[in-house]
Amino acid sequence: MAELPRNNPKKAMLSAVVAGALTLGFAATMAKSCAAPAKQQAEPANQALEMVDSLASRLVLGLDTDATLQYATPSGAIVTVSQSSPRRAYRGGGVTYISTPDGTYLCSTGVAPSPAKGKKPLTAPVTCQEGSGQDAMSPTEAKAISVAFGGEFLAPEAALGRLATIAKGTGVRAGASKRGDAQCVSVTATGIRTEMACVNPAGLLAYFQGTSDAGKTTELILQYTTPSVSEEAFLPPKPAPSATAAKK
């Protein structure tokens, strides 16, 4: 059996970034990794895209690590992200979205029915929709994640994709800054207000202010992160036991 290239995992993560943002126009941003020699490229240099590309290269390294992150959204809701390449899980506000090569799960927790007088509180019902497995995030999945969380959240790959879309517009202006220890890039174009993404030294999305995949203005703030993840994070929540089973 032929030996796989040693950099194969990194290439897989690069593909995930590209695939996750195709619908946002991010494909050109990461094309340098496998593009034709420079002399064959007729398109003029785009400084804004180059700045986004540089930030994306940091994110690629972060996506290839095990981590648990917590993001605050404008409504005050917290979304917990668990990642262990190529598996990803997002939880918050009674919603769970899990994506693995074996399957995807979108689960929601309903309102627990009122217990009978003197009885223990009942468990809230959980319903899940199961889909096919994913090795890398697709544009459809990126939007599904955003919609599942009310349009306030978007995957880190999509955040960089959003900036790349703006960078390909007209009247583009871009700038670099710092937010704490995170490197930030802001981009604006004619008819589009400034949007910003920041990636910290660990390669994790630390901040985003702009538009989600669901088309809603949002702001994500990384509040907590740890370089580890539980295997249970990639298991869908268990459904509540039926009333019959509960009586036994």
Side-chain angles (χ1 to χ4, degrees):
M1 181 180 294
E3 183 180 357
L4 292 175
R6 293 184 178 181
N7 64 348
N8 191 57
K10 187 173 181 180
K11 285 186 177 181
M13 290 313 304
L14 187 62
S15 298
V17 174
V18 176
L22 281 177
T23 189
L24 304 170
F26 192 28
T29 305
M30 301 303 293
K32 292 182 179 180
S33 300
C34 55
K39 63 181 181 180
Q40 296 181 20
Q41 297 178 355
E43 292 186 4
N46 184 324
Q47 184 179 6
L49 272 175
E50 291 179 354
M51 293 173 69
V52 177
D53 179 42
S54 178
L55 195 65
S57 67
R58 293 170 175 255
L59 186 69
V60 168
L61 298 177
L63 290 172
D64 200 22
T65 63
D66 287 2
T68 301
L69 311 89
Q70 287 187 351
Y71 288 98
T73 64
S75 67
I78 300 298
V79 177
T80 300
V81 180
S82 304
Q83 61 179 48
S84 181
S85 177
R87 301 175 298 171
R88 303 177 305 280
Y90 312 86
R91 285 182 168 84
V95 176
T96 297
Y97 190 102
I98 299 173
S99 179
T100 74
D102 296 324
T104 59
Y105 302 88
L106 173 56
C107 305
S108 58
T109 303
V111 178
S114 300
K117 188 175 180 180
K119 299 293 184 180
K120 294 182 179 180
L122 299 176
T123 304
V126 176
T127 58
C128 292
Q129 301 175 29
E130 185 175 354
S132 58
Q134 301 286 336
D135 290 313
M137 185 176 296
S138 68
T140 300
E141 184 177 38
K143 184 174 182 179
I145 292 171
S146 186
V147 171
F149 292 94
E152 287 195 326
F153 180 78
L154 76 170
E157 302 95 314
L160 271 295
R162 174 62 188 171
L163 295 193
T165 296
I166 300 173
K168 295 177 69 177
T170 58
V172 176
R173 298 185 302 278
S177 60
K178 299 277 286 187
R179 184 181 173 90
D181 63 353
Q183 184 65 45
C184 306
V185 171
S186 58
V187 184
T188 186
T190 302
I192 301 177
R193 66 180 185 178
T194 302
E195 301 197 13
M196 174 189 288
C198 305
V199 178
N200 66 19
L204 306 174
L205 182 69
Y207 179 79
F208 174 76
Q209 185 178 52
T211 306
S212 71
D213 292 283
K216 185 174 182 178
T217 299
T218 191
E219 180 182 43
L220 300 181
I221 302 174
L222 180 62
Q223 292 192 326
Y224 168 84
T225 178
T226 181
S228 62
V229 62
S230 168
E231 284 296 315
E232 295 182 356
F234 306 107
L235 299 177
K238 295 181 180 180
S242 64
T244 302
K247 292 180 180 180
K248 294 181 179 181

